[in-house]
Amino acid sequence: MSRDPVRILIANRGEIAARIARAVGVLGHVAVGLWTDQEIHASHLAHCQEWLRLPGATHAETYLNIPRLVGLAKVHRIGAVHPGYGFLSENGDFAEALTREGIVFIGPHARAIRALGDKAVSKTIAREAGVAVVPGSPGAVAGLEEALAIAERIAYPVLLKAVAGGGGRGMRVCFSPRDVEHHFEAVGREARAAFGRGELLVEKYIPVWRYPCLWAT
């Protein structure tokens, strides 16, 4: 039985948006791309069948702006939204807001996102389930002094890591207290700009080259 094509808004940009758009087309649906005033000729738009302007000058005003994205989807009668990765892909509020408007969120349920999208919460769930976790802070650190204390306890090198988001943003490897002092504020700013949250974890950094079994084929 044939189905009507669904107009799927891709709430992302760049290569990930292009890949999603191609997959949407293969499945017989309509890929709707977003463009901002800073990226009026963004490469991913070439793979979409429709395009919508996303007002704003920063990520906080565009790809991280839940009311604006949900409003666009509602006004333009979008059937589903694919968040890609990064940005709002791990934001339970975004998934919930779309669902309230009858728009399908292509991804996990909001409850699962809230449980596992926050790295501090997911570590707690893992520990309670008896799963081994990387040594480090049990949750977001309160500030630089706590980060330094935890780094000293678990021994260098350590990783400063954003509680929210993913894709390598908001991360720095630190080999000394000086590195932690130098990177702490910058990592928090990067995380806040990319994911809307600046809280950080401190974890033991384990170089892959020490454990060839992790990557050898």
Side-chain angles (χ1 to χ4, degrees), residues 11-12 18 26 28-29 52 54 86 143 153 158 191 211-212:
N12 217 297
V26 168
H29 299 299
L52 295 177
L54 181 57
R153 175 170 58 81
V158 300
Y211 302 92

Side-chain angles (χ1 to χ4, degrees), residues 90-163:
E90 298 180 17
N91 190 299
D93 292 340
F94 185 45
E96 200 168 72
L98 289 167
T99 302
R100 281 198 301 268
E101 297 296 341
I103 301 166
V104 174
F105 176 79
I106 301 176
H109 191 280
R111 288 194 300 272
I113 294 175
R114 289 194 176 102
L116 298 177
D118 183 311
K119 297 181 183 68
V121 174
S122 62
K123 286 187 72 171
T124 298
I125 292 172
R127 282 194 298 269
E128 290 174 350
V131 177
V133 298
V134 176
S137 58
V141 295
L144 176 60
E145 293 305 316
E146 184 180 358
L148 287 167
I150 291 171
E152 186 68 26
R153 175 170 58 81
I154 63 177
Y156 290 92
V158 300
L159 185 67
L160 296 179
K161 182 167 147 183
V163 166

Side-chain angles (χ1 to χ4, degrees), residues 4 10 26-27 30 51 55 64 68 93 98 119 132 135 144 153-154 170 176 182 184 188 195-196 204:
D4 292 334
I10 303 168
V26 168
L27 293 171
V30 178
W51 310 269
L64 292 172
R68 183 162 290 170
D93 292 340
L98 289 167
K119 297 181 183 68
L144 176 60
R153 175 170 58 81
I154 63 177
S176 68
H182 179 71
F184 189 83
F195 313 120
K204 181 69 177 176

Side-chain angles (χ1 to χ4, degrees), residues 18-58:
R19 292 182 183 183
I20 295 167
R22 290 195 293 267
V24 168
V26 168
L27 293 171
H29 299 299
V30 178
V32 183
L34 292 172
W35 62 274
T36 67
D37 292 338
Q38 288 70 44
E39 293 183 310
I40 60 175
H41 300 299
S43 60
H44 67 274
L45 299 176
H47 303 276
C48 300
Q49 289 77 53
E50 296 182 19
W51 310 269
L52 295 177
R53 176 175 176 262
L54 181 57
T58 66

Side-chain angles (χ1 to χ4, degrees), residues 56-70:
T58 66
H59 284 163
E61 296 173 345
T62 55
Y63 294 101
L64 292 172
N65 191 322
I66 293 175
R68 183 162 290 170
L69 287 166
V70 174

